[in-house]
Structure formats: C-alpha cells, structure tokens
Amino acid sequence: MPLTPPKSAGGWNAIFYSLRLAWRAGPFQLLKALASKNACKTCALGMGGQKGGMRNESGRFPSVCNKSFQAQSADMQAGIDDEFFARHGVAELSTWTPRELEHCGRLVHPLICEPGSEHYRPISWPEAMDRLVDKLKSTAPERAFFYFSGRSSNEAGFLLQLFARVYGTNNVNNCSYYCHQASGVGLTQSLGTGTATIELKDLEHTDLVFLIGANPPSNHPRFMTTLMEIRRRGGRVIVVNPARERGLENFSVPSDWRSLLFGSEIASSYIQPHIGGDVAFCKGVAKALFQIAPNNPEAIARSFIESATENFSDYKQDVENSSWEDIEKASGLSRALLQDVADQYAGAKNAVFAWAMGATHHAHGVANVQSIVNLALLRGMAGRPHAGLLPLRGHSNVQGMGSMGATPQLKKVVFDNLESLYGIALPKTPGLDTLACMQDAMEGKFDFAWNLGGNLYGSNPDSRFAKEALSKIDFTLYMNTTLNQSHFLGRGKTSLILPVRARDEEPEPTTQESMFSYVRMSDGGPARHSGPRSESSVIVEAAERVAPNVALPWQDFKNTANIRKTIAAIIPGYEKMEALDNTRKEFHIEGRILHQPKFPTANGKAKFKVSPTFCFKDEKREANQFKLMTVRSEGQFNTVVYETEDKYRGTRARNVVLMNPEDIEKLDLKENDLVTVSSSAGELDAQVLLPYPIKAGNIMMYYPEANVLVPLEHDAQSKTPSFKSVDVRVEKEAEIAS
C-alpha cells in the first residue's frame, strides 16, 4: 500500500468524484436537491437557504463542495428493506465499519432491540411512541439525559431542550462538548462571546490568515476559495499544523478556472510545531513582537490595549519571563522561525485567526484558544471590521444547538424569559456535560438517553469505555437517517431507533445557524420515503403525552412557524426570527459580529489570559513513544465515513499509522510494516505504517477507528477530550508476537 499523495488537492479529481456521486444518486435529482432552498447539511461554513442552493450569505455561486455531494447522495439512498435486520444480527452489524453501515441505505421504519434479542425488529410508529412515552413516564428525570447533534434544526433543538427542562432535568448537552466547546469557553472568558467575531465579508479585506490546527481541504472545502482569494490579492496564509497537508500547500478550486487548471498555492508559510505546542508557539510570536516593537511601534496596538483590554501587564510579564529555550523546546520551533512569523504579523493590516479541533482537542484546549486570542489583542485584531477570531466549526448547526439552549445550564436571560413567558418553574440543579453523562452512565446512574441525531458511541474517547457505559443505560433512543455504530456498539439494554427526515424533506421550514452567526431558513421538501417523520413532530407528540399539564402550547408547536416566534421572544439576538416566515429575510444574529472595540463583557473590555508555557508533560521519551493526533479524512464527515480512500493524503485504507520517515528509520522499520499502537486506554493491531511529512515524534491515525486509543483525559474547563494529544507506543507486530 504505497503512499501516493496528489500534486494538488481538489481539482479534477473532486469534479469526477462528484459526478460519480451524482450518477449514483441520479444526476437530475441530486442537482435539483442541491439547488433547492435548503441549508447545506455538512460544515458550519454554511450555504444554501433563501438565496438559493449552492450560494453562501454573500450570494456567491457556485458555493458547493464534495461534502455537500456526499451528504446529499447519502440521503437519497434507497430504504433499508424489511428483511435486512432478520438477515443481519446485532453481533454481525457490530463488526461493520462506519462506511459499511452508512451505505446500507435510509432508515425507514422504527426499530427496537430488547434485552436478550440478537436482532433489531421493525415496529409501527404507534408502538414506538408508546414505548418511548411509557419509558419517559416511568423514569426519574435525574436518571435521564438528552444529547443533541449539530445535524438537527434550531426548531427541534429548542423544542427538545425545553421538553427536557419541563420534564425535570438539566442533563442537556450537545456534540460541541467533543469538538469546539473549548473555543466557546476560551472566547467567552476572553471576549465575552463564544462565537466568531467576524462575518464572511470581512474575509474579503483580510491580508493575513493564521490557520491553526485546521485542515479545511478535507473538512471545510469551500473555505479554500476564501484562502485562494486572499493569496491571489497578495495576502498571506500562515498554516500552523504538525503535519504538512497537501491541500494546504496547493489546492485546485474546482469553481475557479485558473485554480482548476494550474492549482493555487495556499500556505505562504507552513509552521510545524509539536502536537501540544500551540501555547508555546503563540508565546514565541508574542515575545518576538515585544522585541521588535521599539523599532516598529505598530507591532503592538498600545492605544487599543489601553482602552479596550485588561490584564495586559500580567500577560506581558508572563511572556517576557518565558525563556526562548523553553519556548523552543515546548513548541518544537526555532526562535528564528517564530521571529519570522512575528515580522509577517507585524506587517499585516487586517489579520484573522482561524482554528479547528487541532487547537481544541487537548487537555489545555481552552488555554490554546485564549493564547490565540491574546495574539489578536496584541495588535488590535479584534473589535473592528476585517479582522478577528474565527473558530472553524464542524456540523452545519452545531452552533445553533448552543444558541437554542442545548447546554446543561441555560443563560440567565433565556432561563428568565422562559419562566416569565410561560409561568413555569424550570429545574435549577446542575446539569451534566456529555463526558460527565458518559461517566455517570458507566456507574449505572441512567435509565434513559435521548439522542437527537449523531453517533454518541463513535464520538467518544476510549471506545471500550463508551461501549460499556452505554450498555448500562436501560433505554436508549436514537433519531437518525442512516445506521451508525451507536446502534450496535452503543446500545442500551433496550434500544429504539426512530427514522427521521433529512433537512430537505421536512414538511415545514426549519432554520440553521452558521459559524458566522448567520441564520438560514430551509424550505424543506417532499419526503423520499414514507416511513420517516420530522424530528419536531416526534418531540411534540412525546411532550404532549408526557407533560400534558405543563403550561406550554405543545399543539401550537406542531407548526414550526410558532416555534420560531417563541425562539424570537426567548433567545437574545434572534428577534428577527419572528418575521422570518413572512419576509424570508435571513440575518446575522445581533451582537455577535464585533466591529467596534467594545466587547460583551461586564466592563466592555477584552481580557488577556495567562497560561503556562508547558501545558503537557515534559518528559524524556523512548524511541517508540509518540504523540498521536486522530484526524479525519477527505472521504468522511465527522464520524460518518463515506469512502475508505483519503485522496488528499494518498491513503487507500484507514488502518494506517502516518509517521515521519526519520522516525520510521530510527525504529528500524519500513513502509507497510504492520505495527501495534497502544496507549493507557487500549491498543490497535494490524496497523499499516506509512511515511508522512509530520513533525518527528508525532503520528496520525484516523478517527473514529483510533478512538480506542484515546483516554478520558480532557480539558478541565470545557470537558473536551484530548483526541489530538495522546501518548502512545508503536511496536512492530513480529516483535510483539515473539
């Protein structure tokens, strides 16, 4: 299995792949679906909605990528036939890969698997709802939790979190706790807001982007057009990533003829720190800025710092007290390289800092984010147009789930608005985040779990722990469009699967929120299969039957327009949603885009935060000890694997270990050797060793397969697990056998 990375990512290969997907799904039907007025189902960059399919909020056309084609074609699969689950038992399906399960087809009937059964069996909707309602009525609220995926709509998210509160629990959380929660916590503590400070149009005037711990060619492909345009007009893109990803070096944007024919250079500088070296990198750049400031006064935005920030003196002292020796050791980068980055930054007029889970998936994820914010504040690159902070969020409505209150603790204003509007008393007990729910499940403290979309098993660290914890839950409900590993490896004692409609099949309009805090409206459309129901209708029916005496207009909520009017009255910034059904005018959420140097903190000032330089163990490692980061491929989205091949890295299988060629030589190994990788959590054998341009001492493996190696170690503040900073050993299989 030789590694054959492409000369340029994207381009004709992406076009031909999209055409194959179109042919598989039906070219006319797929293009019609993509062109409909429905928001994209994949990343939170966002497109579609009332401006038309394949358009972003700026109206750019065509705004579409392979991820959109993959998700859309998956939703257009035929239904799983009635005899499928009689032919294939739970034991067999538990061994199927994420890709095999995804390609089984659409879920079209409610399914149940009960204690002692070796198979799921189809049941009717009335029976499914009776089983769900009976279980809810017989379960103490504190022994239930509710988990939300970013694939769902604002309307479904708002309804379910509201039902959970009146049911009596605050055990309400969403998938962001396993991805960008560190961004939300870090940004809120530093700036008073947990979301991006810029809108998409700001990037049209940016002359420098720091891209930290992110791989948008694979995960946010349409962002590559933005990066291409920045480079084309003379701007810079500084990539900070332990691995050299081909798509970040050169990418062929299919919608641009020049880029398609000749490729586009993306990274103007490519910085490869050690895994976990982000805080040290940021301190090194800051230290260099302080040193060049006497000869270049614009290197530090002193007027902005004095008027719009606090805690600067403590931060400056910490940076100046950090020695270059410590910074170089912790980051894995030379002083000269860090000084060069600082020189480039000092010369920028409008800089944007963008990052993804390479920054958040650490036991110090919040510190990473706050270190990035510190760099922005140093030069006044926040609180003004064309510059700021941009967390590159994953699923298309994960940010909306947070806005709708799918969190353990509601914001005070939302809590007060709900109680005041409906005259109800909501629970005040502390709720549990996602990891805490899993830990309590392991201790047998839950009888019921409601999963609104997602793949909770596949999203968890320590796969063996996740399987055992979920198996102890008495009744688990999953609402999905297709099969995933949670249905088999994440079963409760009784598991109920309810088939739901995709976004463009909803009978009424729904809304979604992008990473730029832009709210889109999806029109919905005709159902492709007769069995699935809309998420909101399931939630409303359950709420009517479980909480009929609560002073909430459940009947009215059968109309999503009424849900939107309630959201407008309850959620600050969403006031424009009240008129959305009449105007169809999509909007940016009020107060999110920070174009003035006044921040939504108690005193209106941003805050510099001090973090230790060493946020990971500084220890001598043996030759076969490495830092592992789990990564996604070009052929997947989150836990959903569409293709085994990763075109942008040149791999054709997923059981691989990507290692620096020098490390392979030091271990006296060679390409294609079979190795076992082990950690404190578990081990994976029969992994194929492949050379890759990653920083020496670090390796990469694919998520979610490598989750078995990821321990429960997590960021103390955000509770985000360390999927990208795992201590592992790599050993040749023959040596282990002997």
PDB file of all heavy atoms in Angstrom, residues 493-515:
ATOM      1  N   LYS A 493     -29.805  -1.329  27.164  1.00  0.00           N
ATOM      2  CA  LYS A 493     -30.428  -2.641  27.366  1.00  0.00           C
ATOM      3  C   LYS A 493     -31.595  -2.808  26.397  1.00  0.00           C
ATOM      4  O   LYS A 493     -31.810  -3.896  25.854  1.00  0.00           O
ATOM      5  CB  LYS A 493     -30.873  -2.772  28.813  1.00  0.00           C
ATOM      6  CG  LYS A 493     -29.707  -2.758  29.799  1.00  0.00           C
ATOM      7  CD  LYS A 493     -30.184  -2.764  31.239  1.00  0.00           C
ATOM      8  CE  LYS A 493     -29.000  -2.662  32.196  1.00  0.00           C
ATOM      9  NZ  LYS A 493     -29.450  -2.580  33.616  1.00  0.00           N
ATOM     10  N   THR A 494     -32.358  -1.733  26.211  1.00  0.00           N
ATOM     11  CA  THR A 494     -33.324  -1.640  25.128  1.00  0.00           C
ATOM     12  C   THR A 494     -32.945  -0.447  24.279  1.00  0.00           C
ATOM     13  O   THR A 494     -32.667   0.635  24.822  1.00  0.00           O
ATOM     14  CB  THR A 494     -34.759  -1.456  25.655  1.00  0.00           C
ATOM     15  OG1 THR A 494     -35.143  -2.628  26.384  1.00  0.00           O
ATOM     16  CG2 THR A 494     -35.741  -1.215  24.512  1.00  0.00           C
ATOM     17  N   SER A 495     -32.916  -0.632  22.968  1.00  0.00           N
ATOM     18  CA  SER A 495     -32.592   0.483  22.073  1.00  0.00           C
ATOM     19  C   SER A 495     -33.701   0.650  21.049  1.00  0.00           C
ATOM     20  O   SER A 495     -34.149  -0.326  20.436  1.00  0.00           O
ATOM     21  CB  SER A 495     -31.258   0.240  21.352  1.00  0.00           C
ATOM     22  OG  SER A 495     -30.173   0.426  22.233  1.00  0.00           O
ATOM     23  N   LEU A 496     -34.130   1.896  20.891  1.00  0.00           N
ATOM     24  CA  LEU A 496     -35.170   2.244  19.934  1.00  0.00           C
ATOM     25  C   LEU A 496     -34.582   3.218  18.921  1.00  0.00           C
ATOM     26  O   LEU A 496     -33.991   4.235  19.299  1.00  0.00           O
ATOM     27  CB  LEU A 496     -36.354   2.896  20.654  1.00  0.00           C
ATOM     28  CG  LEU A 496     -37.513   3.408  19.795  1.00  0.00           C
ATOM     29  CD1 LEU A 496     -38.216   2.249  19.089  1.00  0.00           C
ATOM     30  CD2 LEU A 496     -38.498   4.202  20.658  1.00  0.00           C
ATOM     31  N   ILE A 497     -34.715   2.894  17.634  1.00  0.00           N
ATOM     32  CA  ILE A 497     -34.253   3.774  16.564  1.00  0.00           C
ATOM     33  C   ILE A 497     -35.472   4.323  15.842  1.00  0.00           C
ATOM     34  O   ILE A 497     -36.311   3.554  15.354  1.00  0.00           O
ATOM     35  CB  ILE A 497     -33.351   3.026  15.559  1.00  0.00           C
ATOM     36  CG1 ILE A 497     -32.149   2.382  16.261  1.00  0.00           C
ATOM     37  CG2 ILE A 497     -32.867   3.978  14.462  1.00  0.00           C
ATOM     38  CD1 ILE A 497     -31.314   1.489  15.349  1.00  0.00           C
ATOM     39  N   LEU A 498     -35.573   5.646  15.774  1.00  0.00           N
ATOM     40  CA  LEU A 498     -36.662   6.283  15.052  1.00  0.00           C
ATOM     41  C   LEU A 498     -36.115   6.924  13.780  1.00  0.00           C
ATOM     42  O   LEU A 498     -35.203   7.761  13.847  1.00  0.00           O
ATOM     43  CB  LEU A 498     -37.339   7.348  15.922  1.00  0.00           C
ATOM     44  CG  LEU A 498     -38.002   6.838  17.210  1.00  0.00           C
ATOM     45  CD1 LEU A 498     -38.688   7.991  17.937  1.00  0.00           C
ATOM     46  CD2 LEU A 498     -39.002   5.727  16.913  1.00  0.00           C
ATOM     47  N   PRO A 499     -36.637   6.553  12.609  1.00  0.00           N
ATOM     48  CA  PRO A 499     -36.157   7.144  11.351  1.00  0.00           C
ATOM     49  C   PRO A 499     -36.735   8.544  11.176  1.00  0.00           C
ATOM     50  O   PRO A 499     -37.944   8.756  11.329  1.00  0.00           O
ATOM     51  CB  PRO A 499     -36.709   6.186  10.291  1.00  0.00           C
ATOM     52  CG  PRO A 499     -37.966   5.640  10.897  1.00  0.00           C
ATOM     53  CD  PRO A 499     -37.712   5.557  12.386  1.00  0.00           C
ATOM     54  N   VAL A 500     -35.882   9.502  10.865  1.00  0.00           N
ATOM     55  CA  VAL A 500     -36.337  10.888  10.721  1.00  0.00           C
ATOM     56  C   VAL A 500     -36.008  11.405   9.325  1.00  0.00           C
ATOM     57  O   VAL A 500     -35.166  10.865   8.619  1.00  0.00           O
ATOM     58  CB  VAL A 500     -35.701  11.803  11.791  1.00  0.00           C
ATOM     59  CG1 VAL A 500     -36.202  11.434  13.176  1.00  0.00           C
ATOM     60  CG2 VAL A 500     -34.178  11.743  11.744  1.00  0.00           C
ATOM     61  N   ARG A 501     -36.704  12.469   8.963  1.00  0.00           N
ATOM     62  CA  ARG A 501     -36.498  13.073   7.654  1.00  0.00           C
ATOM     63  C   ARG A 501     -35.241  13.922   7.637  1.00  0.00           C
ATOM     64  O   ARG A 501     -34.862  14.521   8.641  1.00  0.00           O
ATOM     65  CB  ARG A 501     -37.703  13.939   7.288  1.00  0.00           C
ATOM     66  CG  ARG A 501     -38.992  13.151   7.104  1.00  0.00           C
ATOM     67  CD  ARG A 501     -40.100  14.048   6.606  1.00  0.00           C
ATOM     68  NE  ARG A 501     -41.348  13.310   6.413  1.00  0.00           N
ATOM     69  CZ  ARG A 501     -42.434  13.827   5.868  1.00  0.00           C
ATOM     70  NH1 ARG A 501     -42.428  15.105   5.467  1.00  0.00           N
ATOM     71  NH2 ARG A 501     -43.523  13.104   5.726  1.00  0.00           N
ATOM     72  N   ALA A 502     -34.606  13.972   6.481  1.00  0.00           N
ATOM     73  CA  ALA A 502     -33.468  14.871   6.290  1.00  0.00           C
ATOM     74  C   ALA A 502     -33.977  16.307   6.191  1.00  0.00           C
ATOM     75  O   ALA A 502     -35.181  16.558   6.038  1.00  0.00           O
ATOM     76  CB  ALA A 502     -32.711  14.490   5.024  1.00  0.00           C
ATOM     77  N   ARG A 503     -33.076  17.249   6.281  1.00  0.00           N
ATOM     78  CA  ARG A 503     -33.424  18.670   6.308  1.00  0.00           C
ATOM     79  C   ARG A 503     -34.268  19.095   5.107  1.00  0.00           C
ATOM     80  O   ARG A 503     -35.223  19.864   5.236  1.00  0.00           O
ATOM     81  CB  ARG A 503     -32.140  19.493   6.367  1.00  0.00           C
ATOM     82  CG  ARG A 503     -32.320  20.984   6.496  1.00  0.00           C
ATOM     83  CD  ARG A 503     -30.977  21.630   6.744  1.00  0.00           C
ATOM     84  NE  ARG A 503     -30.385  21.134   7.983  1.00  0.00           N
ATOM     85  CZ  ARG A 503     -29.110  21.291   8.326  1.00  0.00           C
ATOM     86  NH1 ARG A 503     -28.295  21.910   7.505  1.00  0.00           N
ATOM     87  NH2 ARG A 503     -28.655  20.824   9.466  1.00  0.00           N
ATOM     88  N   ASP A 504     -33.933  18.586   3.927  1.00  0.00           N
ATOM     89  CA  ASP A 504     -34.663  18.985   2.723  1.00  0.00           C
ATOM     90  C   ASP A 504     -35.909  18.142   2.482  1.00  0.00           C
ATOM     91  O   ASP A 504     -36.531  18.223   1.428  1.00  0.00           O
ATOM     92  CB  ASP A 504     -33.744  18.929   1.499  1.00  0.00           C
ATOM     93  CG  ASP A 504     -33.147  17.552   1.268  1.00  0.00           C
ATOM     94  OD1 ASP A 504     -33.120  16.754   2.218  1.00  0.00           O
ATOM     95  OD2 ASP A 504     -32.707  17.276   0.136  1.00  0.00           O
ATOM     96  N   GLU A 505     -36.278  17.330   3.479  1.00  0.00           N
ATOM     97  CA  GLU A 505     -37.512  16.547   3.419  1.00  0.00           C
ATOM     98  C   GLU A 505     -38.525  16.999   4.474  1.00  0.00           C
ATOM     99  O   GLU A 505     -39.606  16.407   4.573  1.00  0.00           O
ATOM    100  CB  GLU A 505     -37.225  15.064   3.650  1.00  0.00           C
ATOM    101  CG  GLU A 505     -36.268  14.447   2.659  1.00  0.00           C
ATOM    102  CD  GLU A 505     -35.847  13.040   3.065  1.00  0.00           C
ATOM    103  OE1 GLU A 505     -35.983  12.683   4.252  1.00  0.00           O
ATOM    104  OE2 GLU A 505     -35.377  12.305   2.194  1.00  0.00           O
ATOM    105  N   GLU A 506     -38.146  17.983   5.271  1.00  0.00           N
ATOM    106  CA  GLU A 506     -39.047  18.434   6.330  1.00  0.00           C
ATOM    107  C   GLU A 506     -40.349  18.967   5.724  1.00  0.00           C
ATOM    108  O   GLU A 506     -40.321  19.661   4.694  1.00  0.00           O
ATOM    109  CB  GLU A 506     -38.377  19.522   7.166  1.00  0.00           C
ATOM    110  CG  GLU A 506     -37.258  19.029   8.074  1.00  0.00           C
ATOM    111  CD  GLU A 506     -37.784  18.443   9.372  1.00  0.00           C
ATOM    112  OE1 GLU A 506     -39.014  18.441   9.574  1.00  0.00           O
ATOM    113  OE2 GLU A 506     -36.953  17.992  10.190  1.00  0.00           O
ATOM    114  N   PRO A 507     -41.494  18.691   6.352  1.00  0.00           N
ATOM    115  CA  PRO A 507     -42.769  19.170   5.798  1.00  0.00           C
ATOM    116  C   PRO A 507     -42.975  20.669   5.956  1.00  0.00           C
ATOM    117  O   PRO A 507     -43.829  21.249   5.280  1.00  0.00           O
ATOM    118  CB  PRO A 507     -43.809  18.384   6.602  1.00  0.00           C
ATOM    119  CG  PRO A 507     -43.118  18.058   7.891  1.00  0.00           C
ATOM    120  CD  PRO A 507     -41.681  17.844   7.542  1.00  0.00           C
ATOM    121  N   GLU A 508     -42.211  21.306   6.857  1.00  0.00           N
ATOM    122  CA  GLU A 508     -42.301  22.748   7.072  1.00  0.00           C
ATOM    123  C   GLU A 508     -40.892  23.323   7.144  1.00  0.00           C
ATOM    124  O   GLU A 508     -39.917  22.586   7.359  1.00  0.00           O
ATOM    125  CB  GLU A 508     -43.050  23.057   8.362  1.00  0.00           C
ATOM    126  CG  GLU A 508     -44.506  22.647   8.337  1.00  0.00           C
ATOM    127  CD  GLU A 508     -45.235  23.094   9.598  1.00  0.00           C
ATOM    128  OE1 GLU A 508     -44.605  23.104  10.669  1.00  0.00           O
ATOM    129  OE2 GLU A 508     -46.408  23.438   9.502  1.00  0.00           O
ATOM    130  N   PRO A 509     -40.742  24.630   6.989  1.00  0.00           N
ATOM    131  CA  PRO A 509     -39.405  25.233   7.044  1.00  0.00           C
ATOM    132  C   PRO A 509     -38.731  25.049   8.400  1.00  0.00           C
ATOM    133  O   PRO A 509     -39.402  24.947   9.437  1.00  0.00           O
ATOM    134  CB  PRO A 509     -39.677  26.712   6.761  1.00  0.00           C
ATOM    135  CG  PRO A 509     -40.965  26.732   6.018  1.00  0.00           C
ATOM    136  CD  PRO A 509     -41.770  25.610   6.596  1.00  0.00           C
ATOM    137  N   THR A 510     -37.415  25.001   8.381  1.00  0.00           N
ATOM    138  CA  THR A 510     -36.602  24.979   9.596  1.00  0.00           C
ATOM    139  C   THR A 510     -35.446  25.961   9.410  1.00  0.00           C
ATOM    140  O   THR A 510     -35.221  26.480   8.305  1.00  0.00           O
ATOM    141  CB  THR A 510     -36.035  23.576   9.869  1.00  0.00           C
ATOM    142  OG1 THR A 510     -35.200  23.185   8.757  1.00  0.00           O
ATOM    143  CG2 THR A 510     -37.144  22.562  10.065  1.00  0.00           C
ATOM    144  N   THR A 511     -34.695  26.215  10.475  1.00  0.00           N
ATOM    145  CA  THR A 511     -33.575  27.156  10.395  1.00  0.00           C
ATOM    146  C   THR A 511     -32.300  26.527  10.942  1.00  0.00           C
ATOM    147  O   THR A 511     -32.339  25.591  11.740  1.00  0.00           O
ATOM    148  CB  THR A 511     -33.866  28.455  11.165  1.00  0.00           C
ATOM    149  OG1 THR A 511     -34.121  28.140  12.540  1.00  0.00           O
ATOM    150  CG2 THR A 511     -35.061  29.191  10.568  1.00  0.00           C
ATOM    151  N   GLN A 512     -31.172  27.093  10.495  1.00  0.00           N
ATOM    152  CA  GLN A 512     -29.853  26.666  10.934  1.00  0.00           C
ATOM    153  C   GLN A 512     -28.962  27.898  11.111  1.00  0.00           C
ATOM    154  O   GLN A 512     -29.213  28.940  10.514  1.00  0.00           O
ATOM    155  CB  GLN A 512     -29.221  25.710   9.907  1.00  0.00           C
ATOM    156  CG  GLN A 512     -29.947  24.383   9.744  1.00  0.00           C
ATOM    157  CD  GLN A 512     -31.199  24.475   8.911  1.00  0.00           C
ATOM    158  OE1 GLN A 512     -31.270  25.261   7.944  1.00  0.00           O
ATOM    159  NE2 GLN A 512     -32.212  23.706   9.258  1.00  0.00           N
ATOM    160  N   GLU A 513     -27.912  27.753  11.925  1.00  0.00           N
ATOM    161  CA  GLU A 513     -27.002  28.873  12.207  1.00  0.00           C
ATOM    162  C   GLU A 513     -25.580  28.507  11.787  1.00  0.00           C
ATOM    163  O   GLU A 513     -25.058  27.465  12.180  1.00  0.00           O
ATOM    164  CB  GLU A 513     -27.031  29.208  13.702  1.00  0.00           C
ATOM    165  CG  GLU A 513     -26.088  30.322  14.110  1.00  0.00           C
ATOM    166  CD  GLU A 513     -26.047  30.527  15.616  1.00  0.00           C
ATOM    167  OE1 GLU A 513     -27.091  30.341  16.275  1.00  0.00           O
ATOM    168  OE2 GLU A 513     -24.970  30.863  16.142  1.00  0.00           O
ATOM    169  N   SER A 514     -24.943  29.375  11.001  1.00  0.00           N
ATOM    170  CA  SER A 514     -23.587  29.098  10.520  1.00  0.00           C
ATOM    171  C   SER A 514     -22.542  29.539  11.533  1.00  0.00           C
ATOM    172  O   SER A 514     -22.851  30.166  12.547  1.00  0.00           O
ATOM    173  CB  SER A 514     -23.341  29.831   9.197  1.00  0.00           C
ATOM    174  OG  SER A 514     -23.042  31.200   9.433  1.00  0.00           O
ATOM    175  N   MET A 515     -21.280  29.225  11.240  1.00  0.00           N
ATOM    176  CA  MET A 515     -20.189  29.647  12.113  1.00  0.00           C
ATOM    177  C   MET A 515     -20.009  31.153  12.112  1.00  0.00           C
ATOM    178  O   MET A 515     -19.352  31.696  13.002  1.00  0.00           O
ATOM    179  CB  MET A 515     -18.883  28.958  11.693  1.00  0.00           C
ATOM    180  CG  MET A 515     -18.318  29.430  10.356  1.00  0.00           C
ATOM    181  SD  MET A 515     -16.673  28.754   9.991  1.00  0.00           S
ATOM    182  CE  MET A 515     -17.061  27.048   9.630  1.00  0.00           C
TER     183      MET A 515
END
